[in-house]
């Protein structure tokens, strides 16, 4: 069932991106650093689609939940900053978490990274087997107006 939901979400994102691209905006791909088979982000029109982020830092993936989620959110801020954006630009997030019982703990950290009046639309689902054994993965869309 979880894989089925992932396929639906991925298909929906592709359809939205395809519709925007057909409206005359060509995608701009921003390569990831490191040897991974995906882009860090893709911009179509005024929308920046960020690839899923996990809580890995320079020292690797912390084992402790709060440390890993804090690093995940720091990674989001860092990625946005590389595009001269802040979390104010984020309008949609999808959260994949390996233990939905930790959802309140996730929210306690997540909420600190957004202004109360600028919370993104969000969906979440429990997931088993995230990349590198991560506790959670976060993918976001951000508004990034201007020239490509």
């Amino acid at each position: 069932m979880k894989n089925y939901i992932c396929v639906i979400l991925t298909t929906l994102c592709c359809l939205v991106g395809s519709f925007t691209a057909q409206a005359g905006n060509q995608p701009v791909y921003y390569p990831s650093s490191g040897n991974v088979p995906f882009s860090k982000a893709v911009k179509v029109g005024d929308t920046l689609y960020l690839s899923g982020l996990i809580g890995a830092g320079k020292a690797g993936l912390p084992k402790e939940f709060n440390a890993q989620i804090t690093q995940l959110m720091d990674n989001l801020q860092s990625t946005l900053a590389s595009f001269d954006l802040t979390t104010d630009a984020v309008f949609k997030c999808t959260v994949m978490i390996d233990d939905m019982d930790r959802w309140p703990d996730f929210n306690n950290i997540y909420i600190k990274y957004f202004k109360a009046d600028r919370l993104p639309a969000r969906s979440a689902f429990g997931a088993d087997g995230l990349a590198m054994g991560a506790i959670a993965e976060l993918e976001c869309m951000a508004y990034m107006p201007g020239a490509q």
Side-chain angles (χ1 to χ4, degrees):
M1 180 66 169
K2 290 176 188 175
N3 289 338
Y4 182 72
I5 292 170
C6 288
V7 169
I8 290 172
L9 291 172
T10 301
T11 302
L12 181 59
C13 287
C14 289
L15 289 173
V16 170
S18 175
F19 175 78
T20 306
Q22 290 175 5
N25 296 304
Q26 294 301 312
V28 177
Y29 298 87
Y30 299 93
S32 293
S33 58
N35 189 20
V36 293
F38 54 85
S39 295
K40 171 172 75 172
V42 177
K43 183 177 185 216
V44 181
D46 289 340
T47 302
L48 184 68
Y49 299 87
L50 299 178
S51 287
L53 298 166
I54 61 173
K58 292 180 182 179
L61 196 63
K63 297 294 181 203
E64 198 270 322
F65 184 89
N66 288 351
Q68 193 174 136
I69 301 307
T70 298
Q71 183 63 56
L72 166 62
M73 297 307 296
D74 288 348
N75 291 347
L76 173 62
Q77 282 187 318
S78 176
T79 300
L80 290 167
S82 73
F83 294 99
D84 295 323
L85 298 174
T86 68
T87 56
D88 286 351
V90 176
F91 64 86
K92 172 69 172 97
C93 290
T94 302
V95 182
M96 295 147 271
I97 187 168
D98 75 343
D99 182 357
M100 289 303 288
D101 289 339
R102 300 300 306 261
W103 187 239
D105 300 324
F106 177 89
N107 283 331
N108 287 336
I109 296 168
Y110 174 91
I111 198 78
K112 295 175 186 176
Y113 288 80
F114 297 96
K115 294 176 184 167
D117 63 341
R118 295 193 64 96
L119 294 171
R122 189 176 75 176
S123 54
F125 55 90
D128 187 23
L130 294 170
M132 297 175 54
I135 291 169
E137 184 170 346
L138 178 69
E139 81 178 18
C140 299
M141 297 176 204
Y143 179 64
M144 186 177 166
Q148 295 186 23

